[in-house]
Amino acid sequence: MQQSFGTLSSGEAATLYTISGGRLRAAITDYGATLVSLWVDGVDVVLGYDDVNGYAQNDGFLGAIVGRNANRVKNAQFQLNNDTIYLTANEGNNNLHSGPNSFSRRFWTLDDAAENFVRFTLTSPDGDQGFPGRAVISVTYTLDANDTLRIAYDAVCSKDTVFNFTNHAYFNLAGENHPEKAMRQTLMLPARYFNPDDAENIPTGEVRSVIGTPFDFRTAKPLSQDICADYEPLHLQGGYDHNFEVFCAPCAILTDPESGRSMALITDCPGVQVYTANFLDVIGKGGIHYPKRSGVCLETQFCPDAVNHPEWPQPITKAGETYHSVTKFKF
């Protein structure tokens, strides 16, 4: 099903596509290939806006597809094939989510759709946001009978380039209209290590054990339990905004204790960024105020600033090769 999703001040009209499968129903717009709603047994569990204009002013990347490179790049530059690649600094001296004119604020082309899936495609020209090569990128949202949302990313480029995509949905399994309940949810992460950041949210290069720290989620605990602990990585970011290793499948389980609603995260990516919406402050669907910590992002990705840490898994795809990655959210 498709319907109008409003019109931008430029006159461009957005479309909202609704798909269904099992107990799930999802709404995705062609503006940013953005996940607008995800209903589980009729309860919408992702934060969002009522129409396209909310997303056009969306500083928090609610539900957005992020690329070519998710997260941060130190000093907005890196080396590739002995060349220095210069990006635009849009967060202090650093580059965040690939910079201005992000994929989240572009119209994607509908490529294919059916009752349970929708696929969008975007062409990114050579030099777009500073990245080399002409890239053709597609994102496919699928709902299957096993109550799973599957997001698949496929891309090919004319030159060696960075491909490191993610979805920036903010989850609240109690329902997006209950922001006060978000941090009561429990998170289980079997990750053994996380990456501490500096004051600019850039990984220091350390890979630190979670043992004995507030970052130990190997046993499920409420997000609120240690978020205000006297621990420097939490102080620097105002809560959790850190990359954890993906150690096994599922790599995370989020549960709402009140409803019993649970979501398992499965990915082929080497990392997952846990972000507790530390600086969110927007008016969302139905006029609901989403203050800080009213949702949690589980962004599957390569480690932030990996392009400047050659010892870590690298998000580089060779010219002509096909990038393919899948993340699943199973309820």
Side-chain angles (χ1 to χ4, degrees), residues 47 60 62 72 91 168 170 182-183 197 201 215 223-224 226-228 232-244 273-282 289-297 299:
L47 279 58
L62 273 66
R72 294 171 173 85
E91 189 183 63
H168 208 291
Y170 291 72
M183 293 297 105
D197 295 337
N201 283 59
F215 288 74
L223 288 162
S224 61
D226 296 322
I227 200 169
C228 295
E232 184 180 39
L234 291 171
H235 290 319
L236 289 174
Q237 316 311 336
Y240 296 105
D241 190 7
H242 300 80
N243 182 71
F244 291 77
Q273 184 92 359
V274 177
Y275 175 49
T276 47
N278 307 320
F279 301 99
L280 191 66
D281 183 15
V282 300
H289 178 218
Y290 300 147
K292 73 175 185 177
R293 299 181 183 171
S294 55
V296 59
C297 300
E299 304 162 63

Side-chain angles (χ1 to χ4, degrees), residues 222-267:
L223 288 162
S224 61
Q225 179 171 308
D226 296 322
I227 200 169
C228 295
D230 186 12
Y231 191 61
E232 184 180 39
L234 291 171
H235 290 319
L236 289 174
Q237 316 311 336
Y240 296 105
D241 190 7
H242 300 80
N243 182 71
F244 291 77
E245 69 158 349
V246 169
F247 178 57
C248 60
C251 67
I253 299 177
L254 184 68
T255 303
D256 174 46
E258 185 174 317
S259 66
R261 198 169 293 115
S262 185
M263 181 183 78
L265 181 64
I266 302 163
T267 187

Side-chain angles (χ1 to χ4, degrees), residues 14-78:
T15 301
L16 189 68
Y17 299 86
T18 302
I19 59 175
S20 59
R23 297 159 47 223
L24 307 183
R25 190 161 56 97
I28 304 101
T29 177
D30 55 356
Y31 184 74
T34 300
L35 179 64
V36 173
S37 291
L38 177 61
W39 293 276
V40 184
D41 293 328
V43 176
D44 191 355
V45 298
V46 298
L47 279 58
Y49 300 100
D50 288 326
D51 63 27
V52 68
N53 288 287
Y55 291 96
Q57 302 165 25
N58 177 7
D59 291 330
F61 294 90
L62 273 66
I65 293 298
V66 180
R68 296 185 196 187
N69 183 68
N71 220 298
R72 294 171 173 85
V73 175
K74 185 176 182 178
N75 294 326
Q77 60 182 272
F78 62 96

Side-chain angles (χ1 to χ4, degrees), residues 65-68 70 103 137 153 155 163-167 300-301 323:
I65 293 298
V66 180
R68 296 185 196 187
F103 288 180
I137 302 150
Y153 307 89
F163 284 146
N164 178 27
F165 305 101
T166 197
N167 181 275
T300 56
Q301 58 176 14
Y323 171 91

